[in-house]
């Protein structure tokens, strides 16, 4: 089942991120606030027993309310379902279509080939084009963080 997150989901979301080797870690407080303030634009996936096995945190850009920005996506490495990230994205876009959302944006590390392939597949299934550009260059980060490439998908046609 894919649904909006609740504040009670924040600890599990935080755990999923901290077990990931690729995601930037944030404080648990961040996830509490995200679940409280951005629940309507975010999603969690849960098993039949209610255990959270994935999530996407997303928000509508204040300057561009037709754009849903997917900030972080995580799935449980021990219980991930094929196609789960794409299903969560589709659910968010379906939910947002009635609110005028026509585009999806997210950033991806250029070395994260599985996510890039998932985004391209998702865009094709939505009948949408994909634009790419560097949003934040690696030189802007004080550590050895790779560049973040912005993927802009839309307009979404097939929901």
């Amino acid at each position: 089942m894919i649904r909006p997150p609740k504040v009670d989901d924040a600890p599990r979301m935080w755990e999923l991120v901290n077990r990931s080797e690729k995601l930037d870690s944030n404080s648990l407080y961040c996830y509490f606030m995200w679940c409280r303030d951005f629940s309507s634009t975010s999603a969690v996936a849960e098993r039949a027993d209610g255990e959270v096995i994935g999530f996407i945190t997303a928000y509508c850009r204040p300057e561009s309310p037709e754009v849903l920005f997917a900030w972080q996506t995580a799935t449980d490495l021990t219980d991930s379902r094929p196609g789960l990230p794409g299903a969560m994205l589709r659910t968010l876009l379906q939910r947002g279509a009635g609110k005028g959302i026509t585009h999806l944006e997210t950033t991806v590390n250029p070395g994260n080939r599985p996510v890039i392939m998932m985004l391209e597949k998702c865009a094709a299934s939505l009948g949408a084009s994909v634009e790419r550009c560097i949003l934040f260059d690696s030189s802007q980060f004080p550590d050895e963080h790779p560049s973040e490439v912005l993927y802009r998908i839309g307009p979404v046609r097939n929901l």
Side-chain angles (χ1 to χ4, degrees):
M1 171 186 206
I2 299 173
R3 59 170 175 76
K6 300 176 285 197
V7 170
D8 291 346
D9 296 322
R12 178 68 175 142
M13 294 164 67
W14 179 75
E15 288 172 4
L16 289 175
V17 170
N18 286 321
R19 279 193 285 164
S20 164
E21 296 176 4
K22 295 184 179 186
L23 295 173
D24 293 334
S25 182
N26 299 287
S27 70
L28 175 56
Y29 181 80
C30 174
Y31 294 97
F32 279 126
M33 294 304 294
W34 202 279
C35 290
R36 186 192 83 150
D37 294 345
F38 299 106
S39 179
S40 68
T41 54
S42 298
V44 296
E46 63 182 5
R47 291 189 314 233
D49 66 2
E51 180 72 16
V52 172
I53 59 169
F55 73 86
I56 295 178
T57 51
Y59 63 91
C60 288
R61 294 193 50 217
E63 314 78 39
S64 304
E66 75 283 359
V67 176
L68 180 69
F69 184 86
W71 173 58
Q72 198 168 43
T73 302
T75 58
D76 188 332
L77 299 175
T78 63
D79 189 11
S80 62
R81 315 284 163 103
L84 183 58
M88 289 188 294
L89 278 177
R90 182 175 284 280
T91 297
L92 286 176
L93 290 168
Q94 288 169 339
R95 201 187 308 155
K99 298 175 184 172
I101 293 173
T102 59
H103 288 75
L104 170 72
E105 288 184 347
T106 193
T107 60
V108 181
N109 167 328
N112 196 339
R113 193 77 193 129
V115 171
I116 292 168
M117 292 171 60
M118 183 273 299
L119 289 171
E120 290 174 353
K121 181 179 177 182
C122 185
S125 75
L126 295 168
S129 63
V130 180
E131 298 174 20
R132 297 164 200 80
C133 67
I134 293 178
L135 182 64
F136 301 115
D137 186 74
S138 62
S139 66
Q140 294 176 273
F141 292 94
D143 56 7
E144 294 186 24
H145 195 289
S147 296
E148 290 286 344
V149 177
L150 177 70
Y151 279 71
R152 181 176 169 86
I153 298 171
V156 174
R157 294 182 185 88
N158 303 331
L159 289 174

mmCIF file of all heavy atoms in Angstrom, residues 6 37 67-68 72 124 126:
data_model
loop_
_atom_site.group_PDB
_atom_site.id
_atom_site.type_symbol
_atom_site.label_atom_id
_atom_site.label_comp_id
_atom_site.label_asym_id
_atom_site.label_seq_id
_atom_site.Cartn_x
_atom_site.Cartn_y
_atom_site.Cartn_z
ATOM 1 N N LYS A 6 2.795 9.550 7.912
ATOM 2 C CA LYS A 6 2.336 10.095 9.191
ATOM 3 C C LYS A 6 3.578 10.370 10.036
ATOM 4 O O LYS A 6 4.638 9.776 9.806
ATOM 5 C CB LYS A 6 1.440 9.088 9.912
ATOM 6 C CG LYS A 6 0.192 8.706 9.131
ATOM 7 C CD LYS A 6 -0.598 7.638 9.864
ATOM 8 C CE LYS A 6 0.112 6.310 9.718
ATOM 9 N NZ LYS A 6 -0.640 5.131 10.010
ATOM 10 N N ASP A 37 4.708 18.425 7.790
ATOM 11 C CA ASP A 37 4.459 19.565 6.911
ATOM 12 C C ASP A 37 4.308 19.240 5.434
ATOM 13 O O ASP A 37 3.728 20.029 4.691
ATOM 14 C CB ASP A 37 5.572 20.602 7.076
ATOM 15 C CG ASP A 37 5.581 21.234 8.460
ATOM 16 O OD1 ASP A 37 4.576 21.103 9.190
ATOM 17 O OD2 ASP A 37 6.598 21.852 8.812
ATOM 18 N N VAL A 67 5.303 22.108 -10.231
ATOM 19 C CA VAL A 67 6.460 21.209 -10.183
ATOM 20 C C VAL A 67 6.523 20.517 -8.829
ATOM 21 O O VAL A 67 6.565 21.169 -7.786
ATOM 22 C CB VAL A 67 7.773 21.982 -10.435
ATOM 23 C CG1 VAL A 67 8.979 21.050 -10.288
ATOM 24 C CG2 VAL A 67 7.762 22.626 -11.812
ATOM 25 N N LEU A 68 6.538 19.193 -8.857
ATOM 26 C CA LEU A 68 6.750 18.386 -7.661
ATOM 27 C C LEU A 68 8.226 18.011 -7.638
ATOM 28 O O LEU A 68 8.726 17.386 -8.583
ATOM 29 C CB LEU A 68 5.886 17.125 -7.701
ATOM 30 C CG LEU A 68 6.011 16.201 -6.495
ATOM 31 C CD1 LEU A 68 5.404 16.868 -5.258
ATOM 32 C CD2 LEU A 68 5.335 14.876 -6.768
ATOM 33 N N GLN A 72 13.975 12.960 -1.682
ATOM 34 C CA GLN A 72 14.684 11.752 -1.265
ATOM 35 C C GLN A 72 13.784 10.529 -1.440
ATOM 36 O O GLN A 72 12.594 10.582 -1.130
ATOM 37 C CB GLN A 72 15.098 11.892 0.202
ATOM 38 C CG GLN A 72 16.178 10.953 0.631
ATOM 39 C CD GLN A 72 16.743 11.323 1.993
ATOM 40 O OE1 GLN A 72 16.003 11.649 2.912
ATOM 41 N NE2 GLN A 72 18.054 11.255 2.120
ATOM 42 N N ALA A 124 9.026 7.687 -19.730
ATOM 43 C CA ALA A 124 8.460 7.071 -20.939
ATOM 44 C C ALA A 124 7.048 6.567 -20.667
ATOM 45 O O ALA A 124 6.138 6.767 -21.494
ATOM 46 C CB ALA A 124 9.357 5.934 -21.416
ATOM 47 N N LEU A 126 4.966 7.719 -18.611
ATOM 48 C CA LEU A 126 4.089 8.872 -18.386
ATOM 49 C C LEU A 126 3.914 9.716 -19.649
ATOM 50 O O LEU A 126 3.216 10.729 -19.619
ATOM 51 C CB LEU A 126 4.657 9.748 -17.258
ATOM 52 C CG LEU A 126 4.713 9.107 -15.873
ATOM 53 C CD1 LEU A 126 5.546 9.963 -14.925
ATOM 54 C CD2 LEU A 126 3.314 8.887 -15.328
#
